[in-house]
Amino acid sequence: MDTNTISIYNKDSDKLIKQYESRTFEQVHEHARPHLPSAPGTVLEIGAGSGRDAAWFASQGYTVVAVEPASDLRRKAQDLHPSPSITWIEDSLPELQQTVAAGRTFDLVWISAVWMHLPTPQRKESLRNIGPLIKVGGRLMISLRHGPPPEGRKVYEVSAEELLRDGEELGLWSLCVQKAEDTYSRDDVWWQTVVLEKPSV
């Protein structure tokens, strides 16, 4: 991820935490819940932000590895959501060097509101690095933000079609694509959630 974008997340960490924590996991991701693997299980969240989603997964019985490249945001998230079920890592897409080096695999890789910060070549590299982290039968969920960029943060156009195509090339099968309105009632912003699965055969 672009270092300037990471620095902005650090600078605006207090404001962003207040924004993220003003909505519950259920309010933002209710449409995705039917596609989650059963608990207990293992979750890798990439771009964990305020820790809201990681904390929800932990509360449901999952063991979570939460990846967040913005150090100020990560420290505040750890303080806000202390849990023995969450392990925090400073790492970032596309390389995920620390995460890959750990050699773990997960039932679910969860990426919310991150993909639009990656240009096309980095999105493909990210998928190549994420694929081996998914257990056989495991799932990858990525939310795609559509609309004008937030102030000061670099974003790129994303599409479900591109993600499905790149995922298929890596052996990840499409389960569903769901459209959702913006939880913060921004008229010019809307979302898609793409669910991919690593098949057992």
Side-chain angles (χ1 to χ4, degrees), residues 16-73:
L16 291 171
I17 286 175
K18 183 177 180 180
Q19 175 186 334
Y20 299 155
E21 295 293 322
S22 71
R23 302 292 187 272
T24 66
F25 179 94
E26 290 86 353
Q27 287 174 314
V28 179
H29 300 299
E30 182 63 32
H31 59 285
R33 290 183 67 181
H35 305 289
L36 298 178
S38 299
T42 53
V43 176
L44 171 65
E45 182 180 7
I46 302 174
S50 71
R52 178 199 63 204
D53 294 358
W56 184 86
F57 281 115
S59 74
Q60 302 301 305
Y62 298 91
T63 300
V64 184
V65 172
V67 171
E68 176 52 54
S71 57
D72 289 351
L73 187 56

Side-chain angles (χ1 to χ4, degrees), residues 118-140:
L118 304 171
T120 298
Q122 288 191 10
R123 294 197 291 265
K124 291 184 177 181
E125 181 183 356
S126 295
L127 280 178
R128 286 194 294 269
N129 290 325
I130 290 167
L133 302 175
I134 306 171
K135 291 182 179 180
V136 172
R139 294 182 175 180
L140 167 64

Side-chain angles (χ1 to χ4, degrees), residues 60-98:
Q60 302 301 305
Y62 298 91
T63 300
V64 184
V65 172
V67 171
E68 176 52 54
S71 57
D72 289 351
L73 187 56
R74 186 179 65 257
R75 284 193 294 269
K76 291 171 183 175
Q78 288 180 267
D79 290 341
L80 186 62
H81 296 291
S83 170
S85 297
I86 305 174
T87 301
W88 288 85
I89 297 178
E90 181 176 1
D91 210 350
S92 66
L93 294 169
E95 295 90 354
L96 289 177
Q97 292 179 347
Q98 302 297 322

